[in-house]
Amino acid sequence: QVQLVESGGGLVQAGGSLRLSCAASGRTFSGQTMAWFRQAPGKEREFVAALRRSDGNRYYSDSVKGRFTISRDNDNSVYLQMNRLKPEDTAIYYCAGHTNRLILSSLRVGEYYDYWGQGTQVTVSS
């Protein structure tokens, strides 16, 4: 069983920064595609960022491009550096992982991911 555990959420003022972490544990997990999604109160879950291990390509939603950076290290930990935060970034952020390399049309869709973390709250005050 693979477990993903997020940390690093909190309360920050608009314009500030946070760094989210996601640690994978359990059986051997290659995590070829790792991503972050978020869900704000009353809204649908939305894609934030993804990273494919095979080619190192990173993908972002238009709303966070240029402000957020997804990265990973060798032990399957994934990070989301969030800069210039806005009140509209307030949401629960979820880490997601897939064993295989997802194609471009799939990696933005939550249903394709096998594993999910429990979420971490990010609140940005104005």
Side-chain angles (χ1 to χ4, degrees):
Q1 185 73 13
V2 174
Q3 290 185 324
L4 302 180
V5 180
E6 302 98 333
S7 60
L11 173 65
V12 64
Q13 288 188 329
S17 299
L18 281 175
R19 186 182 191 228
L20 304 184
S21 299
C22 171
S25 63
R27 66 172 177 84
T28 301
F29 175 57
S30 62
Q32 293 298 324
T33 307
M34 299 295 293
W36 289 93
F37 289 77
R38 68 186 182 186
Q39 187 166 20
K43 294 188 176 181
E44 297 287 318
R45 180 179 62 193
E46 66 171 350
F47 169 79
V48 175
L51 188 155
R52 287 196 310 210
R53 191 171 194 171
S54 59
D55 54 20
N57 285 346
R58 306 175 188 188
Y59 305 89
Y60 299 94
S61 67
D62 288 342
S63 62
V64 307
K65 194 175 297 182
R67 300 187 298 122
F68 291 11
T69 303
I70 187 171
S71 62
R72 69 182 298 165
D73 58 24
N74 291 333
D75 66 359
N76 275 336
S77 291
V78 180
Y79 306 96
L80 186 67
Q81 178 66 43
M82 306 185 294
N83 297 328
R84 304 199 308 275
L85 282 159
K86 304 175 181 179
E88 51 263 44
D89 293 319
T90 295
I92 299 174
Y93 283 70
Y94 297 92
C95 175
H98 194 284
T99 304
N100 300 316
R101 176 182 179 274
L102 290 175
I103 61 175
L104 183 56
S105 60
S106 300
L107 57 81
R108 296 173 185 265
V109 181
E111 284 72 15
Y112 285 102
Y113 287 84
D114 300 322
Y115 304 103
W116 290 84
Q118 82 290 348
T120 185
Q121 177 71 48
V122 172
T123 303
V124 184
S125 63
S126 57

